[in-house]
Amino acid sequence: MESELPDIYCPFPQRSNPHVDHTREHLDAWTRHTGLVHRESARERFEQADFGAFVGMVYPTADGEHLDLVADWFVWLFLVDDQLDDGHLGRSPDRVRDVVERMRAVVEGTAPGPGPGEEAPAALIALADLWERTIPRAAPHWRARFTWHLMTYLTTATTWEAGNRADGVVPSEATYIAKRRHTGAIHVCMDLIEIVAGIVAPESVHNDARFITALEASCNVVCWANDVYSYEKEQVLGEIHNLVHLVRHHRGFGKQEALEHVCAEIATETERFLTAEGELLDRHPELAGLLVPYLDGMRSWMRGNLDWSRQTPRYAPADVSQYAEPGAYLEESVLGVGAEPAEPGTGAARPGTDAARPDRAPGVAPGPAPVDTGAGLGAGHGRR
């Protein structure tokens, strides 16, 4: 696939964390302990993705303890995301509402203990563990921001994306771009920079227009690069929430033209980040002690995400056929919501086939479907 892709501009150096090997071992033990990865087929796919290497690329300066923590957050986000994107739950918003509210109760500290004989979903067990290990390191305003970002990711993925799939709505590019930073959970990951770097950025920094621009641009770069590399995977799944797909749908571009267009926009966002970064440091030299590591964390995210995407089998063309049968690797125990049987005589299609796609008939290019309104790419400036 890489040979077919245009170059993605990234002027930041490639780095990795020296604690990656330990974090790989930690992830194996943690996912077994929490039950997030249970079946052998899911374990094999999990190991091939090499999330330990990924987290080492995007947090290259973290110490061993922090790297293990953010790696666990990564895996939790990826595995929950797969449940919502790849399987039937991504088309059934009502069926995951209860588990999302239970997640909210965990982070708000109102979750009741399990009832007699009750076995909580693995995602809830893991989230409770993550929360207990993360919060002691966090300032109150960081905790409030992180909670909002986490719950916005969950609710946007389970209502907006799932509702679009269920109703056959094709989002506009502008709407998608704004929502993508939430559905990709990238704000959650950027928030963790403060934990890893041991800094506390005051609200005045987060409210600064230059910081907001740098953060938004870096988030866009990560999310759009992910869309470029996951495009083939998501075509197999019948996923409409991909920027390359939406550029093709709305602009009538061919595949290569759409890829080149999105990669050019990634370069524009990278330059926008660099401009905002320079202006921010010039404006606040007295805050260099916290701004430099924060901005460096954004740089590491843009570079590390690109490096991992280029090497992981998760997006390799030879391996995307696995997504034709998501039931082979998705585990119901993660969210505790089983498959919904098709009604007799309905001929309900398996998610991922053309017949199940709201915007695609078998063998036909994307046709007319309900479209929300909004400007095109670049106006107004996870899924994985």
Side-chain angles (χ1 to χ4, degrees):
M1 179 178 177
E2 188 173 350
S3 61
E4 299 177 5
L5 294 180
D7 288 336
I8 293 180
Y9 170 63
C10 189
F12 314 122
Q14 184 176 23
R15 295 187 290 176
S16 186
N17 191 297
H19 303 292
V20 164
D21 287 342
H22 176 272
T23 294
R24 287 191 181 107
E25 295 177 2
H26 167 82
L27 283 174
D28 180 76
W30 188 74
T31 54
R32 293 179 190 275
H33 174 70
T34 57
L36 281 173
V37 183
H38 184 68
R39 289 189 299 160
E40 194 58 38
S41 59
R43 173 68 53 184
E44 180 180 355
R45 179 172 178 265
F46 172 78
E47 291 175 351
Q48 287 177 346
D50 199 357
F51 293 114
F54 189 2
V55 75
M57 293 173 184
V58 296
Y59 298 105
T61 63
D63 63 25
E65 181 183 3
H66 285 131
L67 195 68
D68 289 350
L69 175 64
V70 293
D72 292 346
W73 272 112
F74 261 48
V75 166
W76 189 87
L77 289 166
F78 266 98
L79 295 180
V80 169
D81 206 59
D82 279 351
Q83 295 290 324
L84 300 178
D85 278 352
D86 296 8
H88 63 94
L89 295 180
R91 293 164 173 81
S92 308
D94 291 341
R95 306 197 64 228
V96 292
R97 184 171 291 116
D98 177 66
V99 72
V100 170
E101 287 308 307
R102 293 177 71 182
M103 290 176 182
R104 184 189 302 277
V106 168
V107 299
E108 292 180 350
T110 60
E118 179 187 5
E119 185 173 349
L124 284 177
I125 295 171
L127 180 60
D129 175 73
L130 284 169
W131 203 247
E132 183 179 350
R133 291 157 55 204
T134 304
I135 290 311
R137 313 162 192 267
H141 66 275
W142 183 93
R143 176 176 176 172
R145 186 187 320 111
F146 185 80
T147 299
W148 188 85
H149 284 149
L150 179 64
M151 294 312 305
T152 302
Y153 152 67
L154 289 167
T155 54
T156 306
T158 57
T159 56
W160 181 73
E161 280 196 328
N164 286 345
R165 296 185 191 107
D167 298 336
V169 173
V170 179
S172 70
E173 291 175 26
T175 298
Y176 174 78
I177 286 168
K179 298 286 190 181
R180 182 67 173 96
R181 293 187 292 272
H182 295 301
T183 62
I186 187 59
H187 282 300
V188 174
C189 299
M190 293 295 188
D191 285 337
L192 289 169
I193 293 171
E194 292 191 47
I195 300 296
V196 166
I199 56 177
V200 179
E203 291 299 280
S204 59
V205 167
H206 285 277
N207 293 332
D208 187 288
R210 289 156 291 268
F211 182 88
I212 292 170
T213 297
L215 180 61
E216 180 181 276
S218 60
C219 289
N220 286 343
V221 168
V222 172
C223 292
W224 301 355
N226 177 259
D227 282 3
V228 168
Y229 275 91
S230 65
Y231 174 70
E232 297 291 345
K233 166 205 168 188
E234 292 177 347
Q235 288 297 286
V236 173
L237 286 165
E239 178 57 73
I240 61 174
H241 298 99
N242 179 289
L243 189 54
V244 179
H245 176 83
L246 293 178
V247 166
R248 294 191 69 183
H249 180 93
H250 291 300
R251 299 175 185 243
F253 287 177
K255 173 184 172 182
Q256 193 62 30
E257 187 180 10
L259 287 167
E260 291 173 355
H261 180 86
V262 173
C263 289
E265 292 292 332
I266 291 172
T268 299
E269 289 297 284
T270 303
E271 291 294 339
R272 196 163 73 101
F273 166 82
L274 290 169
T275 299
E277 177 188 52
E279 292 175 352
L280 187 63
L281 292 172
D282 288 344
R283 180 65 179 253
H284 298 291
E286 76 284 1
L287 297 178
L290 67 88
L291 288 176
V292 169
Y294 214 135
L295 293 162
D296 184 64
M298 296 179 198
R299 286 168 164 247
S300 296
W301 249 104
M302 288 184 276
R303 178 71 202 208
N305 174 68
L306 190 59
D307 290 334
W308 179 77
S309 297
R310 287 170 170 163
Q311 72 181 43
T312 178
R314 186 178 174 89
Y315 306 136
D319 295 298
V320 295
S321 60
Q322 67 182 290
Y323 299 107
E325 295 292 342
Y329 60 84
L330 294 178
E331 301 189 271
E332 293 178 1
S333 60
V334 172
L335 293 181
V337 183
E340 185 176 29
E343 296 180 12
T346 63
R350 172 183 56 79
T353 64
D354 279 339
R357 295 189 60 169
D359 67 327
R360 180 74 59 88
V364 179
V371 180
D372 65 1
T373 58
L377 184 61
H381 319 298
R383 203 190 42 271
R384 300 180 167 83

